[in-house]
Amino acid sequence: MPLEIVRNDITKIKVDAIVNAANPQLKMGGGVCGAIYKAAGSIKLQQACERIGHCPVGHAVITEGFNLPANYIIHTPGPIWEGGSDHEAELLKDSYKNSLELASRYQCESIAFPLISTGIYGYPNEKALHIAVSTISQFLLESDMKVYLVVFDKKSFGLSQKLFATINEYIDEHYVEETDIIFNRRFEEIEELKSLKEAEPFLNQSLIDMMNHLEESFSERLLSFIDEKGMTDVETYKRANIDRRLFSKIRNEEGYNPKKKTVLAFAIALKLTIDETNELLSTAGYTLSRSSKFDVIIEYFINERNYNIHGINEALFSFDQPLLGA
Ligand code: AR6
């Protein structure tokens, strides 16, 4: 998964570089900065930072990782929140952008960010999270890197209260226990049989198309959907938050057996309708189920025609569900 939101202590993550929410003097501080100094070895890290001296807000500098599992530490001072009118958003964006570019220059293939400025510097979580996700996903459209956005505690994760409440309501209305599903399915099957008989003469084109695709494997159907939607392979796997190597594996292995969340990531990338999503799922032996919260949340976003995969992942994360992509 090119961008993954994880709940963890950043000092424990094994990546090429971790990012420190620093201060411009590059001195040891509290919060994530204090934790990174301690885990890396504060004397050695302090000396390395003193040699660099200073870093303006929104810029980034690099040191080695010393005792950390990460090879490098990228230090970026984010802005102090002053109410929003002091270019805080641009500066926070610069912090992410400059850190990612510095990591690229050092040939890093993986990087982990904390939610910069959201602790001692007081940046509102929800706003900061959106800037982080949009800046990182913008960068990933042009570059290949594995990026972790590390959320330390659940409180600091800011899915908007309004969206959270709306999704919760949708789950309440649509989520059903497995037993209800079996009963309803039986009932629907009987009804379906009856109506199929009546509808036979009027079978429409889309149903005929569906029948024609019935024998296709997941890979074949995925590639034909990409063509039908006029998209390129690169657009598709980038929008699906799917790693390039995995995509080429799927492309080349006709019998590839994907995970359900991978199929759904492609459905979101291709902006499929619910029927098309079910069709793609069925080629891999899956179906959308009302007894899975994960599925109900995906169904909510598809019905809303909201196909922003990173926004969907923010929501899935808040509901403790697996994220889309691979
Ligand atoms: N792993 C991941 N995230 C963490 C960790 C951790 N171990 N510890 C805290 N966080 P902050 P800022 C989260 O205050 O707001 C320092 O003194 C935390 O929950 O560390 O940019 C510097 O030296 C929060 O969401 O950084 C500066 O002077 C996020 O990391 C100043 O604070 C950032 O919180 C920078 O303030």
Side-chain angles (χ1 to χ4, degrees), residues 159-224:
L159 184 70
S160 96
Q161 285 307 309
K162 194 163 152 254
L163 181 59
F164 190 88
T166 315
I167 297 173
N168 233 343
E169 224 170 83
Y170 190 87
I171 293 173
D172 276 351
E173 270 171 38
H174 295 86
Y175 178 77
V176 238
E177 300 293 337
E178 193 65 39
T179 44
D180 293 339
I181 296 237
I182 292 167
F183 178 80
N184 286 339
R185 205 179 290 150
R186 292 266 151 78
F187 181 76
E188 277 163 19
E189 274 167 9
I190 295 167
E191 290 298 300
E192 213 173 285
L193 275 176
K194 280 196 226 152
S195 62
L196 255 180
K197 274 257 160 289
E198 288 156 20
E200 247 168 41
F202 309 107
L203 271 181
N204 63 24
Q205 191 56 39
S206 68
L207 189 52
I208 294 170
D209 287 347
M210 249 171 96
M211 298 301 228
N212 289 339
H213 287 304
L214 226 49
E215 297 304 316
E216 276 181 325
S217 69
F218 166 71
S219 304
E220 284 172 327
R221 189 64 191 108
L222 174 66
L223 297 178
S224 60

Coordinates of all heavy atoms in Angstrom, one line a residue, residues 159-224:
L159 N -11.2 12.3 12.0 CA -12.2 12.3 11.0 C -13.3 13.2 11.4 O -13.6 13.3 12.6 CB -12.8 10.8 10.9 CG -13.8 10.6 9.8 CD1 -13.2 10.6 8.5 CD2 -14.5 9.2 10.0
S160 N -13.9 14.0 10.5 CA -14.8 15.0 10.9 C -16.0 14.4 11.7 O -16.5 13.3 11.3 CB -15.3 15.9 9.8 OG -16.5 15.3 9.3
Q161 N -16.4 15.0 12.7 CA -17.5 14.4 13.6 C -18.8 14.2 12.7 O -19.5 13.3 12.9 CB -17.8 15.4 14.7 CG -16.8 15.4 15.8 CD -16.5 14.0 16.3 OE1 -17.4 13.2 16.7 NE2 -15.3 13.6 16.4
K162 N -19.0 15.1 11.8 CA -20.2 15.0 11.0 C -20.1 13.8 10.1 O -21.1 13.0 10.0 CB -20.3 16.3 10.1 CG -21.6 16.5 9.4 CD -21.7 18.0 9.0 CE -22.7 18.0 7.8 NZ -22.0 18.2 6.5
L163 N -19.0 13.6 9.4 CA -18.9 12.4 8.5 C -19.0 11.1 9.4 O -19.6 10.2 9.0 CB -17.6 12.5 7.8 CG -17.3 11.3 6.8 CD1 -18.4 11.2 5.8 CD2 -16.0 11.5 6.1
F164 N -18.3 11.1 10.5 CA -18.3 10.0 11.4 C -19.8 9.6 11.8 O -20.2 8.5 11.7 CB -17.5 10.3 12.7 CG -17.3 9.0 13.5 CD1 -16.2 8.2 13.3 CD2 -18.1 8.7 14.6 CE1 -16.0 7.1 14.1 CE2 -17.9 7.6 15.3 CZ -16.8 6.8 15.1
A165 N -20.5 10.7 12.1 CA -21.9 10.4 12.5 C -22.8 9.9 11.4 O -23.6 9.0 11.5 CB -22.5 11.7 13.1
T166 N -22.5 10.5 10.2 CA -23.3 10.1 9.0 C -23.0 8.6 8.7 O -24.0 7.8 8.4 CB -22.9 10.9 7.8 OG1 -22.9 12.3 8.2 CG2 -23.9 10.8 6.6
I167 N -21.8 8.2 8.7 CA -21.4 6.8 8.4 C -22.0 5.9 9.5 O -22.6 4.8 9.1 CB -19.9 6.6 8.3 CG1 -19.4 7.5 7.1 CG2 -19.5 5.2 8.0 CD1 -17.9 7.5 7.0
N168 N -21.9 6.3 10.7 CA -22.5 5.5 11.8 C -24.0 5.3 11.6 O -24.5 4.1 11.7 CB -22.3 6.3 13.1 CG -21.6 5.4 14.1 OD1 -21.6 4.2 14.0 ND2 -21.1 6.0 15.2
E169 N -24.7 6.3 11.2 CA -26.1 6.2 10.9 C -26.3 5.2 9.8 O -27.2 4.4 9.8 CB -26.6 7.6 10.4 CG -27.9 8.0 11.0 CD -28.1 9.5 10.7 OE1 -28.6 9.7 9.6 OE2 -27.7 10.4 11.5
Y170 N -25.5 5.3 8.7 CA -25.6 4.4 7.6 C -25.4 3.0 8.0 O -26.2 2.1 7.6 CB -24.6 4.8 6.5 CG -24.8 4.1 5.2 CD1 -25.7 4.6 4.2 CD2 -24.2 2.9 4.9 CE1 -25.9 4.0 3.0 CE2 -24.4 2.3 3.7 CZ -25.2 2.8 2.7 OH -25.4 2.1 1.5
I171 N -24.4 2.8 8.9 CA -24.2 1.4 9.3 C -25.4 0.9 10.1 O -25.8 -0.2 9.9 CB -22.9 1.4 10.2 CG1 -21.6 1.6 9.3 CG2 -22.7 0.0 10.9 CD1 -20.4 1.8 10.1
D172 N -25.9 1.8 11.0 CA -27.1 1.4 11.8 C -28.2 0.9 10.9 O -28.9 -0.1 11.2 CB -27.6 2.5 12.7 CG -26.8 2.6 13.9 OD1 -26.0 1.7 14.2 OD2 -26.9 3.6 14.7
E173 N -28.4 1.7 9.8 CA -29.5 1.3 9.0 C -29.3 0.1 8.1 O -30.2 -0.6 7.8 CB -29.8 2.5 8.0 CG -30.8 3.5 8.5 CD -30.8 4.8 7.7 OE1 -30.7 4.6 6.4 OE2 -30.8 5.9 8.2
H174 N -28.1 -0.1 7.7 CA -27.8 -1.2 6.7 C -27.1 -2.4 7.2 O -27.2 -3.4 6.5 CB -27.0 -0.6 5.5 CG -27.7 0.5 4.8 ND1 -27.7 1.8 5.2 CD2 -28.5 0.4 3.7 CE1 -28.5 2.5 4.4 NE2 -29.0 1.6 3.5
Y175 N -26.4 -2.3 8.3 CA -25.7 -3.5 8.8 C -26.7 -4.5 9.4 O -27.6 -4.1 10.1 CB -24.7 -3.0 9.9 CG -23.9 -4.1 10.6 CD1 -22.8 -4.6 10.0 CD2 -24.2 -4.5 11.9 CE1 -22.1 -5.6 10.6 CE2 -23.5 -5.5 12.5 CZ -22.4 -6.0 11.9 OH -21.6 -7.0 12.5
V176 N -26.6 -5.7 8.9 CA -27.5 -6.8 9.4 C -26.7 -8.0 9.9 O -25.7 -8.3 9.4 CB -28.4 -7.3 8.3 CG1 -29.9 -7.1 8.7 CG2 -28.1 -6.7 7.0
E177 N -27.3 -8.6 10.9 CA -26.7 -9.8 11.4 C -26.8 -10.9 10.4 O -27.7 -10.9 9.6 CB -27.4 -10.3 12.7 CG -27.3 -9.3 13.8 CD -25.9 -9.0 14.4 OE1 -25.1 -9.9 14.2 OE2 -25.7 -7.9 15.0
E178 N -25.8 -11.9 10.5 CA -25.8 -12.9 9.5 C -27.1 -13.7 9.3 O -27.5 -14.0 8.2 CB -24.6 -13.9 9.9 CG -24.2 -14.9 8.8 CD -23.6 -14.2 7.6 OE1 -22.8 -13.3 7.8 OE2 -23.9 -14.7 6.5
T179 N -27.8 -14.0 10.5 CA -29.0 -14.8 10.4 C -30.1 -14.1 9.6 O -30.8 -14.7 8.8 CB -29.6 -15.1 11.8 OG1 -29.5 -13.8 12.5 CG2 -28.9 -16.2 12.5
D180 N -30.2 -12.8 9.8 CA -31.2 -12.0 9.0 C -30.8 -12.1 7.5 O -31.7 -12.2 6.6 CB -31.1 -10.5 9.3 CG -31.6 -10.3 10.7 OD1 -32.3 -11.2 11.2 OD2 -31.3 -9.3 11.3
I181 N -29.5 -12.1 7.2 CA -29.1 -12.1 5.8 C -29.5 -13.4 5.2 O -30.1 -13.5 4.1 CB -27.5 -12.1 5.7 CG1 -27.1 -10.7 6.3 CG2 -27.1 -12.4 4.4 CD1 -26.3 -9.9 5.4
I182 N -29.3 -14.6 5.9 CA -29.7 -15.9 5.3 C -31.2 -15.9 5.0 O -31.6 -16.3 4.0 CB -29.3 -17.0 6.3 CG1 -27.7 -17.1 6.3 CG2 -29.8 -18.4 5.8 CD1 -27.2 -17.9 7.4
F183 N -32.0 -15.4 6.0 CA -33.4 -15.5 5.8 C -33.8 -14.6 4.6 O -34.5 -15.0 3.7 CB -34.1 -14.9 7.1 CG -35.6 -14.9 7.0 CD1 -36.3 -16.0 7.1 CD2 -36.2 -13.7 6.6 CE1 -37.7 -16.0 7.0 CE2 -37.6 -13.6 6.5 CZ -38.3 -14.8 6.7
N184 N -33.2 -13.4 4.6 CA -33.6 -12.5 3.5 C -33.1 -13.0 2.1 O -33.8 -12.9 1.1 CB -32.9 -11.1 3.7 CG -33.6 -10.3 4.8 OD1 -34.7 -10.6 5.1 ND2 -32.9 -9.4 5.4
R185 N -32.0 -13.7 2.1 CA -31.5 -14.2 0.9 C -32.4 -15.3 0.3 O -32.8 -15.3 -0.9 CB -30.1 -14.8 1.1 CG -29.3 -14.8 -0.2 CD -27.9 -15.3 0.0 NE -27.1 -14.4 0.8 CZ -26.1 -14.8 1.6 NH1 -25.8 -16.1 1.7 NH2 -25.4 -14.0 2.2
R186 N -32.9 -16.2 1.2 CA -33.8 -17.2 0.7 C -35.1 -16.5 0.1 O -35.5 -16.9 -1.0 CB -34.3 -18.0 2.0 CG -33.3 -18.9 2.5 CD -33.3 -20.3 1.9 NE -31.9 -20.9 2.0 CZ -31.4 -21.4 3.1 NH1 -32.0 -21.4 4.2 NH2 -30.2 -21.9 3.0
F187 N -35.6 -15.5 0.9 CA -36.8 -14.8 0.4 C -36.5 -14.2 -1.0 O -37.3 -14.3 -1.9 CB -37.2 -13.8 1.5 CG -38.4 -13.0 1.1 CD1 -39.6 -13.6 1.2 CD2 -38.3 -11.7 0.6 CE1 -40.8 -12.8 0.9 CE2 -39.4 -11.0 0.3 CZ -40.7 -11.5 0.4
E188 N -35.4 -13.5 -1.0 CA -35.0 -12.8 -2.3 C -34.8 -13.8 -3.4 O -35.2 -13.5 -4.6 CB -33.7 -12.0 -2.1 CG -34.0 -10.6 -1.5 CD -32.7 -10.0 -1.0 OE1 -31.6 -10.4 -1.4 OE2 -32.8 -9.1 -0.1
E189 N -34.3 -14.9 -3.1 CA -34.0 -15.9 -4.2 C -35.4 -16.4 -4.8 O -35.5 -16.5 -6.0 CB -33.3 -17.1 -3.6 CG -31.8 -16.9 -3.6 CD -31.0 -18.0 -2.8 OE1 -31.7 -19.0 -2.4 OE2 -29.8 -17.8 -2.6
I190 N -36.3 -16.6 -3.9 CA -37.6 -17.0 -4.4 C -38.2 -15.9 -5.3 O -38.7 -16.2 -6.4 CB -38.6 -17.4 -3.2 CG1 -38.0 -18.6 -2.5 CG2 -40.0 -17.7 -3.7 CD1 -38.6 -18.9 -1.2
E191 N -38.2 -14.7 -4.8 CA -38.7 -13.6 -5.5 C -38.0 -13.4 -6.9 O -38.6 -13.1 -7.9 CB -38.6 -12.3 -4.7 CG -39.4 -12.2 -3.5 CD -40.9 -12.2 -3.8 OE1 -41.3 -11.3 -4.6 OE2 -41.6 -13.1 -3.4
E192 N -36.7 -13.6 -6.8 CA -35.9 -13.4 -8.0 C -36.3 -14.4 -9.1 O -36.4 -14.1 -10.3 CB -34.4 -13.6 -7.6 CG -33.5 -12.8 -8.4 CD -32.1 -13.0 -7.8 OE1 -31.8 -12.4 -6.7 OE2 -31.3 -13.7 -8.4
L193 N -36.5 -15.7 -8.6 CA -36.8 -16.7 -9.6 C -38.1 -16.4 -10.3 O -38.3 -16.5 -11.5 CB -37.0 -18.0 -8.8 CG -35.7 -18.8 -8.6 CD1 -36.0 -20.1 -7.8 CD2 -35.2 -19.3 -10.0
K194 N -39.1 -15.8 -9.4 CA -40.4 -15.5 -10.0 C -40.2 -14.4 -11.1 O -40.7 -14.5 -12.2 CB -41.3 -14.9 -8.9 CG -41.9 -16.0 -8.1 CD -43.1 -15.4 -7.3 CE -43.1 -15.9 -5.8 NZ -43.7 -14.9 -4.9
S195 N -39.4 -13.3 -10.7 CA -39.4 -12.2 -11.6 C -38.5 -12.5 -12.8 O -38.7 -11.9 -13.8 CB -38.8 -11.0 -10.8 OG -37.5 -11.2 -10.4
L196 N -37.5 -13.4 -12.6 CA -36.7 -13.8 -13.8 C -37.6 -14.3 -14.9 O -37.4 -14.0 -16.1 CB -35.7 -14.8 -13.4 CG -34.2 -14.3 -13.3 CD1 -33.3 -15.4 -12.9 CD2 -33.8 -13.6 -14.5
K197 N -38.5 -15.2 -14.5 CA -39.4 -15.8 -15.5 C -40.2 -14.7 -16.2 O -40.2 -14.8 -17.4 CB -40.5 -16.7 -14.7 CG -40.0 -18.1 -14.4 CD -40.6 -19.1 -15.4 CE -39.9 -20.4 -15.6 NZ -38.7 -20.4 -16.3
E198 N -40.6 -13.7 -15.4 CA -41.4 -12.6 -16.1 C -40.5 -11.8 -17.0 O -41.0 -11.2 -18.0 CB -42.1 -11.8 -15.0 CG -43.3 -12.5 -14.4 CD -43.6 -11.9 -13.0 OE1 -43.2 -10.8 -12.7 OE2 -44.2 -12.6 -12.2
A199 N -39.3 -11.6 -16.5 CA -38.4 -10.6 -17.2 C -37.7 -11.2 -18.4 O -37.1 -10.5 -19.2 CB -37.4 -10.1 -16.2
E200 N -37.7 -12.5 -18.6 CA -36.9 -13.2 -19.6 C -37.0 -12.5 -21.0 O -35.9 -12.2 -21.6 CB -37.4 -14.6 -19.8 CG -36.4 -15.6 -19.3 CD -36.9 -17.0 -19.2 OE1 -37.7 -17.4 -20.1 OE2 -36.6 -17.7 -18.3
P201 N -38.1 -12.1 -21.5 CA -38.1 -11.5 -22.8 C -37.5 -10.1 -22.8 O -37.2 -9.7 -23.9 CB -39.6 -11.4 -23.1 CG -40.4 -12.1 -22.1 CD -39.5 -12.2 -20.9
F202 N -37.3 -9.5 -21.7 CA -36.8 -8.1 -21.7 C -35.3 -8.0 -21.2 O -34.9 -7.0 -20.7 CB -37.7 -7.3 -20.8 CG -39.1 -7.4 -21.1 CD1 -40.0 -8.1 -20.2 CD2 -39.7 -6.9 -22.2 CE1 -41.3 -8.2 -20.5 CE2 -41.0 -7.0 -22.5 CZ -41.8 -7.7 -21.6
L203 N -34.6 -9.1 -21.2 CA -33.3 -9.1 -20.7 C -32.5 -7.9 -21.3 O -32.4 -7.8 -22.5 CB -32.5 -10.4 -21.1 CG -32.6 -11.5 -20.1 CD1 -31.8 -12.7 -20.6 CD2 -32.2 -11.1 -18.7
N204 N -32.0 -7.0 -20.5 CA -31.4 -5.8 -21.1 C -29.9 -6.1 -21.4 O -29.3 -7.0 -21.0 CB -31.6 -4.6 -20.2 CG -30.9 -4.7 -18.9 OD1 -30.0 -5.5 -18.7 ND2 -31.4 -4.0 -17.9
Q205 N -29.4 -5.1 -22.1 CA -28.0 -5.2 -22.6 C -27.0 -5.4 -21.5 O -26.1 -6.3 -21.6 CB -27.6 -4.0 -23.4 CG -26.4 -4.1 -24.3 CD -26.4 -5.3 -25.2 OE1 -27.4 -5.6 -25.8 NE2 -25.3 -6.0 -25.3
S206 N -27.2 -4.7 -20.4 CA -26.2 -4.8 -19.3 C -26.1 -6.2 -18.7 O -25.1 -6.7 -18.4 CB -26.4 -3.8 -18.2 OG -27.5 -4.1 -17.5
L207 N -27.3 -6.8 -18.6 CA -27.3 -8.2 -18.1 C -26.7 -9.1 -19.1 O -25.9 -10.0 -18.7 CB -28.8 -8.6 -17.9 CG -29.0 -9.9 -17.1 CD1 -28.1 -9.9 -15.8 CD2 -30.4 -10.1 -16.8
I208 N -26.9 -8.9 -20.4 CA -26.3 -9.8 -21.4 C -24.8 -9.6 -21.3 O -24.0 -10.5 -21.3 CB -26.8 -9.4 -22.8 CG1 -28.3 -9.8 -22.9 CG2 -26.0 -10.2 -23.9 CD1 -29.0 -9.3 -24.1
D209 N -24.3 -8.3 -21.2 CA -22.9 -8.0 -21.1 C -22.3 -8.8 -19.9 O -21.3 -9.4 -19.9 CB -22.6 -6.5 -20.9 CG -22.8 -5.8 -22.1 OD1 -23.0 -6.4 -23.2 OD2 -22.9 -4.5 -22.1
M210 N -23.1 -8.7 -18.8 CA -22.6 -9.4 -17.5 C -22.4 -10.9 -17.8 O -21.5 -11.5 -17.3 CB -23.6 -9.1 -16.4 CG -23.1 -8.2 -15.3 SD -24.4 -7.8 -14.2 CE -24.2 -9.0 -13.0
M211 N -23.4 -11.5 -18.5 CA -23.4 -12.9 -18.7 C -22.1 -13.2 -19.6 O -21.4 -14.2 -19.3 CB -24.6 -13.3 -19.5 CG -25.9 -13.1 -18.8 SD -25.9 -14.0 -17.2 CE -27.5 -14.8 -17.3
N212 N -21.8 -12.3 -20.6 CA -20.7 -12.6 -21.4 C -19.4 -12.5 -20.6 O -18.4 -13.1 -21.0 CB -20.6 -11.5 -22.5 CG -21.7 -11.8 -23.5 OD1 -22.3 -12.9 -23.6 ND2 -22.1 -10.7 -24.3
H213 N -19.4 -11.7 -19.5 CA -18.2 -11.6 -18.8 C -18.0 -12.7 -17.7 O -17.0 -12.7 -17.0 CB -18.1 -10.2 -18.1 CG -17.8 -9.1 -19.0 ND1 -16.7 -9.1 -19.9 CD2 -18.5 -8.0 -19.3 CE1 -16.7 -8.0 -20.6 NE2 -17.8 -7.3 -20.3
L214 N -19.0 -13.5 -17.6 CA -19.1 -14.4 -16.5 C -17.9 -15.3 -16.3 O -17.4 -15.6 -15.3 CB -20.4 -15.3 -16.6 CG -21.2 -15.5 -15.4 CD1 -21.4 -14.1 -14.7 CD2 -22.5 -16.2 -15.7
E215 N -17.3 -15.7 -17.5 CA -16.2 -16.6 -17.4 C -14.9 -16.0 -17.3 O -13.8 -16.6 -17.1 CB -16.2 -17.5 -18.7 CG -17.4 -18.4 -18.9 CD -17.6 -19.3 -17.7 OE1 -16.6 -19.9 -17.3 OE2 -18.8 -19.4 -17.3
E216 N -14.9 -14.6 -17.2 CA -13.6 -13.9 -17.2 C -13.0 -14.1 -15.8 O -13.7 -14.1 -14.8 CB -13.8 -12.4 -17.4 CG -13.8 -12.1 -18.9 CD -14.0 -10.6 -19.1 OE1 -14.7 -10.0 -18.3 OE2 -13.4 -10.1 -20.1
S217 N -11.6 -14.1 -15.7 CA -10.9 -14.1 -14.5 C -10.9 -12.7 -13.9 O -11.2 -11.8 -14.6 CB -9.5 -14.7 -14.6 OG -8.8 -13.7 -15.3
F218 N -10.5 -12.6 -12.6 CA -10.4 -11.3 -12.0 C -9.5 -10.4 -12.9 O -9.8 -9.2 -13.2 CB -9.9 -11.4 -10.6 CG -9.5 -10.0 -10.0 CD1 -10.4 -9.1 -9.7 CD2 -8.1 -9.7 -9.8 CE1 -10.1 -7.8 -9.3 CE2 -7.7 -8.5 -9.4 CZ -8.7 -7.6 -9.1
S219 N -8.3 -10.9 -13.2 CA -7.3 -10.0 -14.0 C -7.9 -9.6 -15.3 O -7.9 -8.4 -15.6 CB -6.1 -10.8 -14.3 OG -5.5 -11.3 -13.1
E220 N -8.6 -10.5 -16.0 CA -9.2 -10.1 -17.3 C -10.2 -9.1 -17.1 O -10.3 -8.1 -17.9 CB -9.8 -11.4 -18.0 CG -8.8 -12.3 -18.6 CD -9.4 -13.6 -19.0 OE1 -10.4 -14.1 -18.4 OE2 -8.9 -14.1 -20.0
R221 N -11.1 -9.3 -16.1 CA -12.2 -8.3 -16.0 C -11.7 -7.0 -15.5 O -12.2 -5.9 -16.0 CB -13.2 -8.9 -14.9 CG -14.5 -8.1 -14.9 CD -15.3 -8.1 -16.2 NE -16.4 -7.2 -16.3 CZ -16.4 -6.1 -17.1 NH1 -15.3 -5.8 -17.8 NH2 -17.4 -5.3 -17.1
L222 N -10.7 -7.0 -14.7 CA -10.1 -5.7 -14.2 C -9.6 -5.0 -15.4 O -9.8 -3.8 -15.6 CB -8.9 -6.0 -13.2 CG -8.1 -4.8 -12.8 CD1 -9.0 -3.8 -12.0 CD2 -6.9 -5.2 -12.0
L223 N -8.8 -5.7 -16.3 CA -8.2 -5.0 -17.5 C -9.3 -4.5 -18.4 O -9.2 -3.4 -19.0 CB -7.2 -5.9 -18.2 CG -6.0 -6.3 -17.3 CD1 -5.1 -7.3 -18.1 CD2 -5.2 -5.1 -16.8
S224 N -10.4 -5.3 -18.5 CA -11.4 -4.8 -19.5 C -12.2 -3.6 -18.8 O -12.5 -2.7 -19.5 CB -12.3 -5.9 -19.9 OG -13.0 -6.5 -18.8

